[in-house]
Amino acid sequence: MNSSNKKLSTLFLGAYLIIIGFIFLFMIGWIYSMVLFPDEFGYWSYSAMILGWDWSKITGLGNYYAPGYTLFLLPALILGGSSSVASYRIAVFFNFVLLGVSAVLIYRILYRLFIGKNSDQKPEGMVTDEGINNAKLALIAVVGASYPAFMFFAEMTLAEVVILFCFILSVRLFQRYADENGINKILFGCGFVLVLLYSYTVHKRNVALVIAGIVCLVWDYVLYLKRGKSGIAENSVADASKGATNSGNAKVIKGSKGKKVTEKNTGKAQASSKNIGSKTVVAGLSRNQIIGIVVIGIVVIFSIVIAVSGIMQKALVVGASNINTFSGQLERIMGLLNPDGIKDLFVGFFGKIFYLTAVSYGLVWWGLFGALKRAVADLRQKYADGTGLTFLYIVFSAVLGIIISAVFNNIYFRVDSVIYGRYTENYLALLMPLGIVFVLDKAMDINRFLLGQAGCILVLLITCYTSASHVVKAGLQEMSGFFIMGFSYWIHNEYGTSDWDMGAYIWQCFVFGLIVTVIVSVIIILCKKVKLKEWLLVIVIVMQIGLSIHGCVHYVVQFNAFDHMDAEITEMIYAIKETDPEDTREVVYYNSGAIQFIDLIQFSLRDIPVHIQGKDETFNKGDIVILDNTDNRIYDEVFSENFTQHIETAHFVMFYN
């Protein structure tokens, strides 16, 4: 390894970590609480349940959310003490830590795939040259980690950063599993399984990772049986023996001392090869037995996870408006088995492809098909270093993730549901860097790259047309920019307005995708031709960080300004309770069916439960009553006549006597 390149790679990664640290410190002063309802509250509710706080009434208004994110939110809730603002900011800090760790893991994955062990033995179609070095891989890794949506979601308590981290960590653990033997293989295999199952408890869409993991483990087992020996492990030792012999021969020229070293190294390799050839890996277990244990462990623990999730769901979300069950998903799948369902499925596929192509500058497809090509080439040549299986896992995970997003976001009630990007953006963290590595490789000539990018622009045009046509024909008007962050930079109203031309908006997304694709394509061409070329990738990183900051200011800061105003309600309730510790008045929310901003109040009140009543139900003048400040009829005709005091904030009016 070139020491200067190693130092540069450390410098680049360190610089990125410092940058996101400064962004965290810069933004955290404007962050107070939730901005996306009821999603964020749903994740926090499990932590409240564990602490014995009764949030069930408010939780029942929303949907079901998986409990896995509790692993990070519970410590934040405890460490925050009596301050909901402190708890929320601690959770955001955890997100930024995971984002930084993910960047380092992406680099380690790329290093192992392209520079690591046995890197001198690459299949046809992949040529390493001085351009693919540690420094460039570090910059490429930062390109993936700095994708704008990641930092955007890091500043709120959606589970997206945890999902990103789980995907990256699962790839790294599987990579080590494929490379190792003996006890290390068991340990990395078990770690891989645990991460897959934990990711499923964070969000059920991560069943894509579970399925991909099982497929690749079984594939590894099939390869083992097909070879009739210890598979990849044995080949690795054989290659190590060959490498040691060659190294020793080079030293023989310098004297007899080198010859002794050669004999010693060769002897070790032969001994290791003999040991593995017996098919005994560790503790009397063969390779197929180890893989069998890992696969059975996945099935057993996966069943336990499903059962525990069901129990927690019943305990927490009684009366929830949208319970996420397997039977409900099966019903949705069955709804696709008709002409209209098939049409909707294709609309969904085209919409997701449109989004991914535009926001990744076309690199997602270079990464996906390049990884598939490498997987096939490596496995055909019986590669010894596990890269083929690693590429296979990445491809299966991404493809299944895109399919799941298309299938389970096929109810198009908003514009963003057609081009929904949130469920698939985590795969870009690896597919974009892989795409850059493949197109920068010496085997990729510029004409071929330009032809491929032209194909990506054609795909962008076709999928934009189908998406825009469906939006106009279906009369879709509303949307949420949170779920299509890559297309939200010029949205002025987060939920859209009735006078918007949504078809024109989709074409604006096409123009944006076309512009950034051309910019990044030019940068990549210059990287292939200009000296000190790796520095040009800094332009892409700066562009992405700038877009992420724009999104954070546009959404997170703006919405938190309202959260800060709503905090006056909580402060007043605490003041009332502290003035009279014997006060038994209940906090009651009159549900008008509006957006669940009441989540803010319950989150801030911590262990004080908020009760729910319908607008037509009789209210108690002795209670503290909260209603949405948009409901002027109730405000004017009823509550103002029965309460002597009231406070009005950004989202609420609170009445009390």
Side-chain angles (χ1 to χ4, degrees), residues 109 112-114 116-118 121-123 174-175 178-179 232 371 374-375 378-379 383-394:
I109 291 168
R112 179 61 193 83
L113 289 175
F114 299 105
K117 185 174 64 175
N118 294 337
Q121 302 177 17
K122 297 298 177 184
F174 184 76
Q175 189 178 53
D179 286 342
I232 291 174
R374 280 296 309 274
D378 286 6
L379 294 174
Y383 246 71
D385 56 2
T387 56
L389 284 172
T390 304
F391 280 121
L392 196 66
Y393 174 67
I394 294 171

Coordinates of all heavy atoms in Angstrom, one line a residue, residues 109 112-114 116-118 121-123 174-175 178-179 232 371 374-375 378-379 383-394:
I109 N -15.4 -1.4 2.7 CA -16.0 -2.4 1.7 C -15.3 -2.2 0.3 O -14.9 -3.2 -0.3 CB -17.5 -2.1 1.6 CG1 -18.2 -2.6 2.9 CG2 -18.1 -2.9 0.4 CD1 -19.6 -2.1 3.0
R112 N -11.7 -3.5 0.3 CA -11.6 -4.9 0.2 C -12.0 -5.5 -1.2 O -11.4 -6.4 -1.7 CB -12.5 -5.5 1.3 CG -12.5 -7.0 1.3 CD -11.1 -7.6 1.6 NE -11.1 -9.0 1.4 CZ -10.9 -9.5 0.2 NH1 -10.7 -8.8 -0.9 NH2 -10.9 -10.8 0.0
L113 N -13.0 -4.8 -1.8 CA -13.4 -5.3 -3.1 C -12.4 -5.0 -4.2 O -12.3 -5.8 -5.2 CB -14.8 -4.6 -3.5 CG -16.0 -5.1 -2.7 CD1 -17.2 -4.2 -3.1 CD2 -16.3 -6.6 -2.9
F114 N -11.7 -3.9 -4.2 CA -10.9 -3.5 -5.3 C -9.4 -3.4 -5.0 O -8.6 -3.4 -6.0 CB -11.3 -2.1 -5.8 CG -12.8 -2.1 -6.3 CD1 -13.8 -1.6 -5.5 CD2 -13.1 -2.7 -7.5 CE1 -15.1 -1.6 -6.0 CE2 -14.4 -2.8 -7.9 CZ -15.4 -2.2 -7.2
G116 N -8.0 -5.0 -1.8 CA -7.6 -5.9 -0.7 C -7.0 -7.2 -1.1 O -6.4 -7.3 -2.2
K117 N -7.1 -8.2 -0.3 CA -6.5 -9.5 -0.5 C -6.8 -10.0 -1.9 O -7.9 -10.0 -2.4 CB -7.0 -10.5 0.6 CG -6.3 -11.8 0.5 CD -6.8 -12.7 1.7 CE -8.3 -13.0 1.6 NZ -8.7 -13.9 2.7
N118 N -5.7 -10.6 -2.5 CA -5.8 -11.1 -3.9 C -6.3 -10.1 -4.9 O -6.9 -10.4 -5.9 CB -6.8 -12.3 -3.9 CG -6.3 -13.5 -3.1 OD1 -5.1 -13.6 -2.9 ND2 -7.2 -14.3 -2.6
Q121 N -5.5 -10.5 -8.7 CA -6.2 -11.5 -9.5 C -7.6 -11.0 -9.8 O -8.5 -11.3 -9.1 CB -6.2 -12.8 -8.8 CG -4.8 -13.4 -8.4 CD -4.9 -14.6 -7.6 OE1 -6.0 -15.3 -7.6 NE2 -3.9 -15.0 -7.0
K122 N -7.8 -10.3 -10.8 CA -9.1 -9.7 -11.2 C -9.6 -10.4 -12.4 O -8.8 -10.7 -13.3 CB -9.0 -8.2 -11.4 CG -8.6 -7.5 -10.1 CD -9.6 -7.6 -9.0 CE -9.2 -6.9 -7.8 NZ -10.1 -7.1 -6.7
P123 N -10.9 -10.7 -12.5 CA -11.5 -11.3 -13.7 C -11.4 -10.4 -14.9 O -11.2 -9.2 -14.8 CB -12.9 -11.6 -13.3 CG -13.2 -10.5 -12.3 CD -11.9 -10.3 -11.5
F174 N -21.0 -9.5 5.9 CA -21.0 -10.7 4.9 C -19.7 -10.8 4.1 O -19.3 -11.9 3.8 CB -22.2 -10.4 3.9 CG -22.4 -11.6 3.0 CD1 -23.0 -12.8 3.4 CD2 -21.9 -11.5 1.7 CE1 -23.1 -13.9 2.6 CE2 -22.1 -12.6 0.8 CZ -22.7 -13.8 1.3
Q175 N -19.1 -9.6 3.9 CA -17.8 -9.6 3.2 C -16.8 -10.4 4.0 O -16.0 -11.2 3.5 CB -17.4 -8.2 2.9 CG -16.2 -8.0 2.1 CD -15.9 -6.5 1.9 OE1 -15.8 -5.8 2.8 NE2 -15.8 -6.1 0.6
A178 N -17.5 -14.1 4.1 CA -17.1 -14.8 2.9 C -15.6 -15.0 2.8 O -15.1 -15.9 2.2 CB -17.6 -14.0 1.6
D179 N -14.9 -14.2 3.5 CA -13.4 -14.2 3.4 C -12.8 -15.2 4.5 O -11.7 -15.7 4.3 CB -12.8 -12.8 3.7 CG -13.0 -11.9 2.4 OD1 -13.2 -12.5 1.4 OD2 -12.9 -10.7 2.6
I232 N -14.4 -21.6 -1.1 CA -13.6 -20.3 -1.2 C -12.5 -20.4 -0.2 O -11.4 -19.9 -0.5 CB -14.6 -19.1 -0.8 CG1 -15.5 -18.9 -2.0 CG2 -13.8 -17.9 -0.6 CD1 -16.5 -17.9 -1.8
A371 N -21.8 -4.5 -10.6 CA -21.7 -5.5 -9.5 C -22.1 -6.9 -9.9 O -21.6 -7.9 -9.6 CB -22.4 -5.0 -8.3
R374 N -19.5 -8.4 -12.1 CA -18.4 -8.9 -11.3 C -18.7 -10.2 -10.5 O -17.9 -11.1 -10.3 CB -17.9 -7.8 -10.3 CG -17.1 -6.7 -10.9 CD -15.7 -7.3 -11.3 NE -15.1 -8.0 -10.3 CZ -14.3 -7.5 -9.4 NH1 -14.0 -6.2 -9.4 NH2 -13.7 -8.3 -8.5
A375 N -20.0 -10.2 -10.0 CA -20.4 -11.4 -9.2 C -20.4 -12.6 -10.1 O -19.8 -13.7 -9.7 CB -21.8 -11.2 -8.7
D378 N -16.6 -13.5 -11.0 CA -15.9 -14.0 -9.9 C -16.3 -15.4 -9.5 O -15.5 -16.3 -9.3 CB -16.1 -13.1 -8.6 CG -15.3 -11.8 -8.8 OD1 -14.7 -11.6 -9.8 OD2 -15.3 -11.1 -7.8
L379 N -17.6 -15.7 -9.5 CA -18.1 -17.0 -9.1 C -17.8 -18.0 -10.2 O -17.6 -19.2 -9.9 CB -19.7 -16.9 -8.9 CG -20.0 -16.1 -7.7 CD1 -21.6 -15.9 -7.6 CD2 -19.5 -16.7 -6.4
Y383 N -13.6 -17.6 -7.5 CA -12.7 -16.7 -6.8 C -12.5 -17.0 -5.4 O -13.4 -17.5 -4.7 CB -13.2 -15.3 -7.0 CG -12.3 -14.5 -7.8 CD1 -12.2 -14.7 -9.2 CD2 -11.4 -13.6 -7.2 CE1 -11.3 -14.0 -9.9 CE2 -10.5 -12.9 -8.0 CZ -10.5 -13.1 -9.3 OH -9.6 -12.4 -10.1
A384 N -11.3 -16.8 -4.9 CA -11.0 -17.2 -3.6 C -11.2 -16.2 -2.5 O -11.2 -16.5 -1.3 CB -9.5 -17.5 -3.5
D385 N -11.5 -14.9 -2.8 CA -11.5 -13.9 -1.8 C -12.9 -13.4 -1.4 O -13.1 -12.5 -0.7 CB -10.7 -12.7 -2.3 CG -11.3 -12.1 -3.7 OD1 -12.2 -12.7 -4.2 OD2 -10.7 -11.2 -4.2
G386 N -14.0 -14.1 -1.9 CA -15.3 -13.8 -1.5 C -16.0 -12.6 -2.1 O -17.1 -12.2 -1.8
T387 N -15.3 -11.9 -3.1 CA -15.8 -10.7 -3.7 C -17.1 -11.0 -4.5 O -18.0 -10.2 -4.5 CB -14.8 -10.0 -4.6 OG1 -14.4 -11.0 -5.6 CG2 -13.6 -9.5 -3.8
G388 N -17.1 -12.2 -5.1 CA -18.3 -12.6 -5.9 C -19.5 -12.6 -5.1 O -20.6 -12.1 -5.4
L389 N -19.4 -13.3 -3.9 CA -20.6 -13.4 -3.0 C -21.0 -12.0 -2.5 O -22.2 -11.7 -2.3 CB -20.3 -14.3 -1.9 CG -20.3 -15.8 -2.2 CD1 -19.7 -16.6 -1.0 CD2 -21.7 -16.3 -2.6
T390 N -20.0 -11.2 -2.2 CA -20.3 -9.8 -1.7 C -21.1 -9.0 -2.7 O -22.1 -8.4 -2.4 CB -19.1 -9.1 -1.3 OG1 -18.3 -9.9 -0.3 CG2 -19.4 -7.7 -0.7
F391 N -20.6 -9.0 -4.0 CA -21.3 -8.4 -5.0 C -22.7 -8.9 -5.2 O -23.7 -8.2 -5.4 CB -20.5 -8.5 -6.3 CG -19.4 -7.5 -6.5 CD1 -18.1 -8.0 -6.7 CD2 -19.6 -6.1 -6.4 CE1 -17.1 -7.1 -6.8 CE2 -18.6 -5.2 -6.6 CZ -17.3 -5.7 -6.8
L392 N -22.8 -10.2 -5.1 CA -24.1 -10.9 -5.2 C -25.1 -10.4 -4.2 O -26.3 -10.1 -4.5 CB -24.0 -12.4 -5.2 CG -25.1 -13.3 -5.7 CD1 -25.3 -13.1 -7.2 CD2 -24.9 -14.7 -5.3
Y393 N -24.6 -10.3 -2.9 CA -25.5 -9.8 -1.8 C -26.0 -8.4 -2.1 O -27.1 -8.0 -1.9 CB -24.8 -9.9 -0.5 CG -25.5 -9.3 0.6 CD1 -26.7 -9.9 1.1 CD2 -25.1 -8.2 1.3 CE1 -27.4 -9.3 2.1 CE2 -25.8 -7.6 2.3 CZ -27.0 -8.2 2.7 OH -27.7 -7.6 3.8
I394 N -25.0 -7.5 -2.5 CA -25.4 -6.1 -2.8 C -26.5 -6.1 -3.9 O -27.4 -5.3 -3.8 CB -24.1 -5.4 -3.2 CG1 -23.1 -5.3 -2.1 CG2 -24.5 -4.0 -3.7 CD1 -21.8 -4.7 -2.5

